[in-house]
Amino acid sequence: MMGVLRTERVSIDFGGLRAVDNLDFQIGDEIVGLIGPNGSGKTTFLNIISGIYKPTRGRVYFNGEDITSLPPHMIRAKGIARTFQTNRLCLNLSILDNMLLGLYCQQQTTWWQAIFMSSSSSREIKLGIEKSLAILAHFNPALITRAYEPVMTIPLIDRRRIEIARAVVGDPRLVLLDEPTAGLNSEETNQMINDIAKIRRRSSQISIIIIEHDMTVISRITERVVCLNAGQKIAEGTFSEVARNELVRTAYLGG
Amino acid sequence: MELIISQILNAVMLACTYTLVGIGFSLFFGAMDIVVFCLGDVAIAGAFAIMALSTVMGVYASLSGILPAPISGIIVVFIGACFTAGLVTLMYRAVIVPFEGKNINASLLSTIAAGIVIRELIGLFYPEGRNPHAFPQLLPAGLIGDNVLLSWRNIIIIAITFIMVMLLYWFVNRTKTGLSIQAISQNKEAAIMVGINWHRIIVITFLIGGFLLGIGGFLTASYFNSLRFDMGAMYGLKGFCVAVVGGLGSIYGAIVGGLLIAFVEVFVTAFIPGGTAYSSVAAFLIVVLFILFKPEGILGEKTVEKV
Amino acid sequence: MGNKIYRYSLAGLSTLGICMALYVCLSSALLVALIVIALAIVILSVGERKNVIDKVYRLIGDNKALNLGIIALFILLLPFLVQGNNYLLHIAIMAGIFSIVALGLNFQIGGIGQINFAPAAFYGMGAYTSAFLSVKMGLSPWLGTLCGLLMAIVLGVVVGFPALKARGYYLSLVTIALQIIFTLMIVNSPWIGGPNGIPGIPSYQIGGFSFRTPVALGGIQLPYQVNFLYLVYILLALFALAANRLYNSRVGLAWNAIEQDPIVAACQGINLTNTQLLAFCLGAAYAGIAGAIYGHYTSFIGVENFDFSQSLIFICMVILGGTDNVPGVVLGAVLLTMIDEKLRDFSGYRLLMYGIVLIIILIIRPKGLLPKRIRVYQQKDRSEYSSHSAVVTGGSR
């Protein structure tokens, strides 16, 4: 199994607080769940991978290439897409525009091409629209008829779907999902689990790191689980192995 | 040596005039996370009110008839400061409340527009409003002893600024209302949850800030000995610069920032040939550099952007 | 078929109506102009409530060629309509020049959501560079204009660079400071005229024909303003077209994404540095060329045309017209220019009016006369998708 993403002894300090501590992590062609109590550094770790934070120490390798010091937009161009804990779509823009943003890294039109060669620019956008609508149809066909509506009129579950679709539409190699089911009821959570499974069904060439508090989600879709506590990895393995782990139980129950 | 000392004194005086308006910016930013761009105009409006009371309306003259001159001076300035307190609270209702919780660009533009409105209204409706006026001397003139450098006026300006800052310090740190202001500026939601009446505190903050602005406007007009309707634009801008350099939201930062900006301006004017023209340029350049390389200012706290 | 002809003529009529309303505003007294504008606002608000505006947009969008033709014809005929009145033509030219600046400013305000308080500095940079080169160095005004454009772009980088690090209040302070520094530097530089400005700026020439010679068209003697009118509006058409294409391209989308959430934008692969600088440089280029034309048109420039209050006027134009809506921005610029000129008799009230207008718009109609719209890509099969809520509603965050 070839590693897609690998981190070596990654640490990050905020003032005196070490949010992520000497974390060794790797992922291949699989879905890895990242669990841990609140404040254990899960989201911070995703922020390090996607380039929003620079780690104080340690390195991040993606497809064997060192991406530690790259800015977020270059990391996205390499093929790492993500969603956010609090749903962060561009609320004023339409569903379609949000999807096109997900394709931004694949498009080539520069500003002067947009001005002087508008036909090639609109051809590119047209292709993008077809692709976006295809992916939207994959998640929820009802969204296609609402493609020109601003996202702020869309219910939460669909916003999450759109955010995931936006991450997936640009054919990333690795997708980081930060609590995709937060704020959803159990029915919606089930739908979301199916949606995430759909990503892998569409292409097995997509690896997923998913942060979740809902253990049913973790147990149903992840192939491997990593548990963090206070920035350190305290357990790793299949869900049942990790669930039985004494350290994990203590961390969650606050022992 | 004489020259340097007189320039230092000059800078301290200028810093005094900047500090109070800088504190106004910091106070409102701390309480509401908002920059009220019309503060300079409000302060100058206060100075105009004081001038009106002393000249056109003759309040000062009639008061002087029954009371000793310093006390009637204090009363007039107090009324003027109360006027600015009212004016700034009016500004809060008219151009800040409608934009609460919306994009900051809206409140930014509306307060700038409010500044223009105040300025132009003075220009239109104050008698001879668009011409420069000699500000009435409510502060005693004359030198202290034989020293050419120390006049009563200068000493009183510095003393008033000092007293105001001390009063504010006492108020913010020793009274319940002041502590509530601090609580709100640190964490609004938490402050509301422990039962602080947010709305009342904000209005009090504006009243206090407005009062300080009135005093600031009075000191500025007294220092320059003249008053123009459009002084407020530059004065407010300098006040904002002072607050940013010192650290937006920090009251003591405004003092430090005021000193820094004033020293730069005075020394560029005094020691660089032809520097008079470039003193403001130098001050603004310093602010730009601060924003680029140390945006939290000298005394402000560095904030980590939440992702 | 009959329906098609009906829609066609309806589209033409609505465009014609807009042109006529603008003409009435231009040629009549202040009071009439204000009544027309007030009427337009009422029609707009009522129309929005009844979803008529959307239909008008679609009507005009579906018959683009016809409507552009009518507008072109209107501008072509304008000198004859006003019977060669050079003052009215002057207002129309200034409206065109300011529209170009406002379109450029819109890249920053509407695009990346950063209020730039120094558009007048860009505008002045173009004007002063071109005027200085053509007066003092004897350079051709055309080349001078090009140099003005380039120098404005340089200034755009200088102003845009802080925008990469600072946002909101801090950026506003930086741009205000740079605007004031710009004005102070001009006042204190005697070699470019200092407070006296630069007089005697030569006009454009094509093969010996100076733009400052009156022309006889169709047997009617027309003042020299006609030349500039056509020049300015040809440029405005090109610049508006470019702005529209940018808006509908991935660049405009990236700008909007940065406005909404820079971190999310970066995580979609948008290079924040380049994209934001682009908004400032393109905006500066627009303003620079407009400034250069202004100088060669009026033959005199002074620092008061490029100070902070002029910047505020540009901002007012964008906000009044509607941020990130190309026709809206042009409309805002044209309307404010006309009102401004009509207020010449009450010059003491000019700035007061801008202050009050700005506050009122921000409270009553924060999105401007023509609010920003959802991008519509495929004209042909758009009917498949419902677009009844095409207008962005609610707050921007």
Side-chain angles (χ1 to χ4, degrees), chain A residues 106-148:
Chain A
Q106 288 191 328
Q107 296 174 332
Q108 310 290 330
T109 311
T110 57
W111 64 273
W112 57 271
Q113 283 170 332
I115 295 177
F116 298 109
M117 298 157 66
S118 73
S119 60
S120 78
S121 162
S122 51
R123 203 177 316 126
E124 191 176 71
I125 284 180
K126 203 164 170 166
L127 286 175
I129 292 173
E130 280 163 17
K131 194 168 178 191
S132 306
L133 293 182
I135 299 248
L136 278 180
H138 201 68
F139 280 100
N140 182 1
L143 287 175
I144 292 186
T145 54
R146 305 183 70 176
Y148 280 103

Tab-separated table of all heavy atoms in Angstrom, chain A residues 106-148:
chain	number	residue	atom	x	y	z
A	106	GLN	N	-8.641	23.506	-11.168
A	106	GLN	CA	-8.429	22.769	-12.407
A	106	GLN	C	-8.533	23.664	-13.624
A	106	GLN	O	-8.166	23.264	-14.719
A	106	GLN	CB	-9.472	21.654	-12.537
A	106	GLN	CG	-9.238	20.520	-11.572
A	106	GLN	CD	-10.112	19.342	-11.899
A	106	GLN	OE1	-11.221	19.507	-12.385
A	106	GLN	NE2	-9.621	18.151	-11.634
A	107	GLN	N	-9.084	24.850	-13.426
A	107	GLN	CA	-9.290	25.717	-14.588
A	107	GLN	C	-8.050	26.564	-14.842
A	107	GLN	O	-7.224	26.758	-13.959
A	107	GLN	CB	-10.515	26.602	-14.359
A	107	GLN	CG	-11.787	25.795	-14.244
A	107	GLN	CD	-12.982	26.638	-13.873
A	107	GLN	OE1	-12.832	27.667	-13.229
A	107	GLN	NE2	-14.153	26.194	-14.252
A	108	GLN	N	-7.954	27.068	-16.064
A	108	GLN	CA	-6.719	27.724	-16.483
A	108	GLN	C	-6.906	29.205	-16.807
A	108	GLN	O	-5.933	29.938	-16.854
A	108	GLN	CB	-6.175	27.049	-17.760
A	108	GLN	CG	-6.087	25.546	-17.676
A	108	GLN	CD	-5.000	25.103	-16.738
A	108	GLN	OE1	-4.013	25.790	-16.577
A	108	GLN	NE2	-5.190	23.962	-16.071
A	109	THR	N	-8.137	29.642	-17.077
A	109	THR	CA	-8.352	30.987	-17.610
A	109	THR	C	-7.697	32.051	-16.739
A	109	THR	O	-7.952	32.120	-15.544
A	109	THR	CB	-9.857	31.287	-17.686
A	109	THR	OG1	-10.492	30.200	-18.315
A	109	THR	CG2	-10.114	32.555	-18.450
A	110	THR	N	-6.860	32.875	-17.360
A	110	THR	CA	-6.296	33.999	-16.633
A	110	THR	C	-7.151	35.226	-16.896
A	110	THR	O	-8.081	35.181	-17.694
A	110	THR	CB	-4.864	34.281	-17.096
A	110	THR	OG1	-4.912	34.519	-18.495
A	110	THR	CG2	-3.958	33.111	-16.807
A	111	TRP	N	-6.813	36.332	-16.228
A	111	TRP	CA	-7.679	37.513	-16.365
A	111	TRP	C	-7.678	38.034	-17.780
A	111	TRP	O	-8.702	38.450	-18.303
A	111	TRP	CB	-7.270	38.594	-15.371
A	111	TRP	CG	-5.905	39.161	-15.584
A	111	TRP	CD1	-4.737	38.670	-15.074
A	111	TRP	CD2	-5.557	40.300	-16.361
A	111	TRP	NE1	-3.687	39.430	-15.496
A	111	TRP	CE2	-4.160	40.442	-16.280
A	111	TRP	CE3	-6.285	41.224	-17.109
A	111	TRP	CZ2	-3.480	41.457	-16.923
A	111	TRP	CZ3	-5.599	42.235	-17.754
A	111	TRP	CH2	-4.212	42.352	-17.655
A	112	TRP	N	-6.537	37.995	-18.442
A	112	TRP	CA	-6.553	38.562	-19.799
A	112	TRP	C	-7.227	37.626	-20.777
A	112	TRP	O	-7.822	38.057	-21.752
A	112	TRP	CB	-5.156	38.986	-20.247
A	112	TRP	CG	-4.115	37.908	-20.217
A	112	TRP	CD1	-3.314	37.572	-19.168
A	112	TRP	CD2	-3.782	37.020	-21.279
A	112	TRP	NE1	-2.504	36.533	-19.507
A	112	TRP	CE2	-2.761	36.169	-20.798
A	112	TRP	CE3	-4.238	36.857	-22.590
A	112	TRP	CZ2	-2.202	35.173	-21.571
A	112	TRP	CZ3	-3.671	35.860	-23.358
A	112	TRP	CH2	-2.667	35.034	-22.848
A	113	GLN	N	-7.175	36.318	-20.493
A	113	GLN	CA	-7.963	35.404	-21.333
A	113	GLN	C	-9.447	35.651	-21.123
A	113	GLN	O	-10.238	35.596	-22.061
A	113	GLN	CB	-7.619	33.954	-21.008
A	113	GLN	CG	-6.311	33.511	-21.610
A	113	GLN	CD	-5.872	32.177	-21.082
A	113	GLN	OE1	-6.206	31.815	-19.951
A	113	GLN	NE2	-5.127	31.448	-21.882
A	114	ALA	N	-9.810	35.923	-19.864
A	114	ALA	CA	-11.221	36.183	-19.582
A	114	ALA	C	-11.701	37.401	-20.354
A	114	ALA	O	-12.839	37.451	-20.815
A	114	ALA	CB	-11.419	36.393	-18.086
A	115	ILE	N	-10.819	38.411	-20.481
A	115	ILE	CA	-11.231	39.629	-21.173
A	115	ILE	C	-11.165	39.468	-22.688
A	115	ILE	O	-12.104	39.775	-23.402
A	115	ILE	CB	-10.351	40.820	-20.740
A	115	ILE	CG1	-10.567	41.120	-19.270
A	115	ILE	CG2	-10.663	42.047	-21.584
A	115	ILE	CD1	-9.704	42.217	-18.741
A	116	PHE	N	-10.041	38.931	-23.164
A	116	PHE	CA	-9.818	38.964	-24.620
A	116	PHE	C	-10.185	37.671	-25.333
A	116	PHE	O	-10.317	37.652	-26.537
A	116	PHE	CB	-8.359	39.320	-24.912
A	116	PHE	CG	-7.981	40.678	-24.414
A	116	PHE	CD1	-7.134	40.831	-23.326
A	116	PHE	CD2	-8.521	41.811	-25.000
A	116	PHE	CE1	-6.806	42.083	-22.846
A	116	PHE	CE2	-8.191	43.066	-24.522
A	116	PHE	CZ	-7.336	43.204	-23.444
A	117	MET	N	-10.274	36.558	-24.614
A	117	MET	CA	-10.636	35.307	-25.277
A	117	MET	C	-11.837	34.714	-24.563
A	117	MET	O	-11.773	33.642	-23.992
A	117	MET	CB	-9.460	34.320	-25.224
A	117	MET	CG	-8.228	34.842	-25.947
A	117	MET	SD	-6.732	34.067	-25.348
A	117	MET	CE	-7.011	32.398	-25.877
A	118	SER	N	-12.941	35.440	-24.605
A	118	SER	CA	-14.056	35.053	-23.751
A	118	SER	C	-14.653	33.720	-24.191
A	118	SER	O	-15.268	33.019	-23.383
A	118	SER	CB	-15.120	36.136	-23.756
A	118	SER	OG	-15.788	36.124	-24.988
A	119	SER	N	-14.454	33.324	-25.463
A	119	SER	CA	-15.075	32.061	-25.871
A	119	SER	C	-14.399	30.879	-25.171
A	119	SER	O	-15.078	29.970	-24.710
A	119	SER	CB	-14.992	31.914	-27.385
A	119	SER	OG	-13.648	31.922	-27.788
A	120	SER	N	-13.069	30.921	-25.073
A	120	SER	CA	-12.411	29.801	-24.395
A	120	SER	C	-12.754	29.813	-22.915
A	120	SER	O	-12.917	28.775	-22.278
A	120	SER	CB	-10.900	29.862	-24.601
A	120	SER	OG	-10.329	30.829	-23.754
A	121	SER	N	-12.891	31.033	-22.359
A	121	SER	CA	-13.271	31.131	-20.953
A	121	SER	C	-14.649	30.528	-20.727
A	121	SER	O	-14.850	29.736	-19.802
A	121	SER	CB	-13.241	32.593	-20.533
A	121	SER	OG	-13.961	32.778	-19.351
A	122	SER	N	-15.591	30.849	-21.612
A	122	SER	CA	-16.946	30.341	-21.350
A	122	SER	C	-17.035	28.849	-21.672
A	122	SER	O	-17.834	28.138	-21.066
A	122	SER	CB	-17.983	31.141	-22.129
A	122	SER	OG	-17.631	31.217	-23.479
A	123	ARG	N	-16.197	28.382	-22.597
A	123	ARG	CA	-16.181	26.936	-22.839
A	123	ARG	C	-15.729	26.196	-21.575
A	123	ARG	O	-16.320	25.208	-21.169
A	123	ARG	CB	-15.244	26.618	-24.003
A	123	ARG	CG	-15.560	25.304	-24.685
A	123	ARG	CD	-14.655	25.055	-25.874
A	123	ARG	NE	-14.479	26.224	-26.720
A	123	ARG	CZ	-13.278	26.729	-27.060
A	123	ARG	NH1	-12.173	26.169	-26.603
A	123	ARG	NH2	-13.198	27.786	-27.833
A	124	GLU	N	-14.693	26.736	-20.954
A	124	GLU	CA	-14.189	26.107	-19.732
A	124	GLU	C	-15.267	26.095	-18.653
A	124	GLU	O	-15.478	25.089	-17.966
A	124	GLU	CB	-12.970	26.882	-19.245
A	124	GLU	CG	-12.206	26.198	-18.151
A	124	GLU	CD	-10.958	26.989	-17.788
A	124	GLU	OE1	-11.091	28.064	-17.197
A	124	GLU	OE2	-9.864	26.513	-18.103
A	125	ILE	N	-15.982	27.223	-18.550
A	125	ILE	CA	-17.030	27.297	-17.524
A	125	ILE	C	-18.148	26.320	-17.851
A	125	ILE	O	-18.698	25.662	-16.971
A	125	ILE	CB	-17.536	28.739	-17.395
A	125	ILE	CG1	-16.492	29.546	-16.631
A	125	ILE	CG2	-18.866	28.799	-16.688
A	125	ILE	CD1	-16.825	30.975	-16.422
A	126	LYS	N	-18.451	26.192	-19.137
A	126	LYS	CA	-19.514	25.284	-19.533
A	126	LYS	C	-19.182	23.841	-19.136
A	126	LYS	O	-20.006	23.124	-18.576
A	126	LYS	CB	-19.723	25.387	-21.041
A	126	LYS	CG	-21.073	24.954	-21.457
A	126	LYS	CD	-21.412	25.404	-22.861
A	126	LYS	CE	-22.666	24.660	-23.140
A	126	LYS	NZ	-23.539	24.773	-24.037
A	127	LEU	N	-17.933	23.450	-19.414
A	127	LEU	CA	-17.491	22.115	-18.999
A	127	LEU	C	-17.621	21.973	-17.487
A	127	LEU	O	-18.083	20.944	-16.978
A	127	LEU	CB	-16.038	21.893	-19.422
A	127	LEU	CG	-15.811	21.650	-20.907
A	127	LEU	CD1	-14.324	21.576	-21.204
A	127	LEU	CD2	-16.499	20.361	-21.317
A	128	GLY	N	-17.214	23.036	-16.786
A	128	GLY	CA	-17.279	23.009	-15.327
A	128	GLY	C	-18.703	22.824	-14.840
A	128	GLY	O	-18.958	22.072	-13.895
A	129	ILE	N	-19.639	23.496	-15.511
A	129	ILE	CA	-21.038	23.393	-15.091
A	129	ILE	C	-21.529	21.965	-15.268
A	129	ILE	O	-22.168	21.395	-14.375
A	129	ILE	CB	-21.910	24.377	-15.896
A	129	ILE	CG1	-21.560	25.806	-15.499
A	129	ILE	CG2	-23.379	24.127	-15.656
A	129	ILE	CD1	-22.225	26.854	-16.347
A	130	GLU	N	-21.181	21.358	-16.426
A	130	GLU	CA	-21.628	19.980	-16.651
A	130	GLU	C	-21.115	19.062	-15.564
A	130	GLU	O	-21.832	18.249	-14.992
A	130	GLU	CB	-21.139	19.490	-18.027
A	130	GLU	CG	-22.009	20.002	-19.160
A	130	GLU	CD	-21.322	19.870	-20.503
A	130	GLU	OE1	-20.339	19.106	-20.607
A	130	GLU	OE2	-21.762	20.552	-21.450
A	131	LYS	N	-19.831	19.229	-15.254
A	131	LYS	CA	-19.229	18.366	-14.242
A	131	LYS	C	-19.879	18.610	-12.879
A	131	LYS	O	-20.205	17.662	-12.159
A	131	LYS	CB	-17.733	18.660	-14.176
A	131	LYS	CG	-16.955	17.622	-13.431
A	131	LYS	CD	-15.478	17.803	-13.654
A	131	LYS	CE	-14.731	16.761	-12.854
A	131	LYS	NZ	-13.308	17.017	-12.807
A	132	SER	N	-20.097	19.876	-12.548
A	132	SER	CA	-20.691	20.198	-11.255
A	132	SER	C	-22.080	19.603	-11.131
A	132	SER	O	-22.433	19.014	-10.106
A	132	SER	CB	-20.799	21.713	-11.086
A	132	SER	OG	-19.575	22.322	-11.295
A	133	LEU	N	-22.874	19.745	-12.188
A	133	LEU	CA	-24.238	19.238	-12.126
A	133	LEU	C	-24.224	17.717	-12.000
A	133	LEU	O	-25.041	17.143	-11.277
A	133	LEU	CB	-25.020	19.678	-13.363
A	133	LEU	CG	-25.274	21.177	-13.464
A	133	LEU	CD1	-26.097	21.509	-14.697
A	133	LEU	CD2	-25.966	21.708	-12.221
A	134	ALA	N	-23.264	17.066	-12.679
A	134	ALA	CA	-23.182	15.613	-12.565
A	134	ALA	C	-22.923	15.203	-11.126
A	134	ALA	O	-23.552	14.279	-10.604
A	134	ALA	CB	-22.080	15.097	-13.482
A	135	ILE	N	-22.006	15.904	-10.474
A	135	ILE	CA	-21.689	15.546	-9.085
A	135	ILE	C	-22.869	15.862	-8.173
A	135	ILE	O	-23.214	15.090	-7.283
A	135	ILE	CB	-20.450	16.323	-8.613
A	135	ILE	CG1	-19.270	15.959	-9.500
A	135	ILE	CG2	-20.174	16.049	-7.150
A	135	ILE	CD1	-18.202	15.196	-8.854
A	136	LEU	N	-23.506	17.012	-8.403
A	136	LEU	CA	-24.665	17.356	-7.585
A	136	LEU	C	-25.737	16.275	-7.723
A	136	LEU	O	-26.354	15.867	-6.729
A	136	LEU	CB	-25.237	18.712	-8.013
A	136	LEU	CG	-24.551	19.955	-7.463
A	136	LEU	CD1	-25.236	21.199	-7.992
A	136	LEU	CD2	-24.560	19.957	-5.952
A	137	ALA	N	-25.950	15.820	-8.960
A	137	ALA	CA	-26.953	14.791	-9.183
A	137	ALA	C	-26.607	13.533	-8.400
A	137	ALA	O	-27.480	12.823	-7.902
A	137	ALA	CB	-27.047	14.472	-10.671
A	138	HIS	N	-25.330	13.264	-8.292
A	138	HIS	CA	-24.865	12.109	-7.546
A	138	HIS	C	-25.269	12.196	-6.078
A	138	HIS	O	-25.629	11.206	-5.462
A	138	HIS	CB	-23.347	12.079	-7.678
A	138	HIS	CG	-22.744	10.753	-7.409
A	138	HIS	ND1	-22.923	9.672	-8.242
A	138	HIS	CD2	-21.962	10.312	-6.388
A	138	HIS	CE1	-22.271	8.645	-7.759
A	138	HIS	NE2	-21.693	8.995	-6.642
A	139	PHE	N	-25.225	13.397	-5.541
A	139	PHE	CA	-25.535	13.547	-4.119
A	139	PHE	C	-27.023	13.754	-3.878
A	139	PHE	O	-27.607	13.121	-3.011
A	139	PHE	CB	-24.754	14.725	-3.525
A	139	PHE	CG	-23.342	14.389	-3.215
A	139	PHE	CD1	-22.328	14.758	-4.066
A	139	PHE	CD2	-23.025	13.682	-2.067
A	139	PHE	CE1	-21.019	14.438	-3.787
A	139	PHE	CE2	-21.716	13.347	-1.781
A	139	PHE	CZ	-20.708	13.728	-2.647
A	140	ASN	N	-27.603	14.711	-4.591
A	140	ASN	CA	-29.027	14.964	-4.405
A	140	ASN	C	-29.576	15.631	-5.658
A	140	ASN	O	-29.369	16.817	-5.867
A	140	ASN	CB	-29.248	15.869	-3.181
A	140	ASN	CG	-30.719	16.116	-2.936
A	140	ASN	OD1	-31.570	15.598	-3.664
A	140	ASN	ND2	-31.019	16.898	-1.926
A	141	PRO	N	-30.260	14.868	-6.514
A	141	PRO	CA	-30.731	15.411	-7.799
A	141	PRO	C	-31.606	16.652	-7.625
A	141	PRO	O	-31.645	17.500	-8.511
A	141	PRO	CB	-31.545	14.263	-8.395
A	141	PRO	CG	-31.019	13.054	-7.720
A	141	PRO	CD	-30.603	13.460	-6.346
A	142	ALA	N	-32.253	16.765	-6.468
A	142	ALA	CA	-33.123	17.917	-6.272
A	142	ALA	C	-32.343	19.221	-6.328
A	142	ALA	O	-32.896	20.278	-6.622
A	142	ALA	CB	-33.848	17.804	-4.939
A	143	LEU	N	-31.042	19.140	-6.027
A	143	LEU	CA	-30.243	20.361	-5.992
A	143	LEU	C	-30.042	20.953	-7.384
A	143	LEU	O	-29.773	22.135	-7.527
A	143	LEU	CB	-28.869	20.075	-5.365
A	143	LEU	CG	-28.893	19.860	-3.855
A	143	LEU	CD1	-27.526	19.470	-3.363
A	143	LEU	CD2	-29.352	21.130	-3.161
A	144	ILE	N	-30.164	20.126	-8.419
A	144	ILE	CA	-29.896	20.621	-9.767
A	144	ILE	C	-30.893	21.694	-10.161
A	144	ILE	O	-30.535	22.715	-10.743
A	144	ILE	CB	-29.904	19.456	-10.770
A	144	ILE	CG1	-28.701	18.584	-10.469
A	144	ILE	CG2	-29.854	19.967	-12.187
A	144	ILE	CD1	-28.498	17.491	-11.431
A	145	THR	N	-32.143	21.464	-9.807
A	145	THR	CA	-33.139	22.468	-10.180
A	145	THR	C	-32.943	23.752	-9.390
A	145	THR	O	-33.453	24.799	-9.774
A	145	THR	CB	-34.559	21.957	-9.913
A	145	THR	OG1	-34.623	21.537	-8.557
A	145	THR	CG2	-34.898	20.809	-10.832
A	146	ARG	N	-32.198	23.673	-8.295
A	146	ARG	CA	-31.994	24.889	-7.498
A	146	ARG	C	-30.589	25.457	-7.701
A	146	ARG	O	-30.124	26.280	-6.914
A	146	ARG	CB	-32.201	24.575	-6.016
A	146	ARG	CG	-33.550	23.936	-5.741
A	146	ARG	CD	-33.757	23.694	-4.278
A	146	ARG	NE	-33.944	24.948	-3.552
A	146	ARG	CZ	-34.222	25.006	-2.258
A	146	ARG	NH1	-34.323	23.900	-1.555
A	146	ARG	NH2	-34.370	26.158	-1.661
A	147	ALA	N	-29.918	25.029	-8.769
A	147	ALA	CA	-28.513	25.365	-8.938
A	147	ALA	C	-28.260	26.861	-8.980
A	147	ALA	O	-27.189	27.329	-8.627
A	147	ALA	CB	-27.972	24.717	-10.212
A	148	TYR	N	-29.262	27.630	-9.407
A	148	TYR	CA	-29.052	29.075	-9.509
A	148	TYR	C	-29.582	29.830	-8.299
A	148	TYR	O	-29.778	31.034	-8.349
A	148	TYR	CB	-29.676	29.613	-10.802
A	148	TYR	CG	-28.808	29.367	-12.010
A	148	TYR	CD1	-29.099	28.360	-12.917
A	148	TYR	CD2	-27.673	30.139	-12.228
A	148	TYR	CE1	-28.292	28.136	-14.013
A	148	TYR	CE2	-26.858	29.928	-13.319
A	148	TYR	CZ	-27.168	28.923	-14.208
A	148	TYR	OH	-26.361	28.712	-15.285
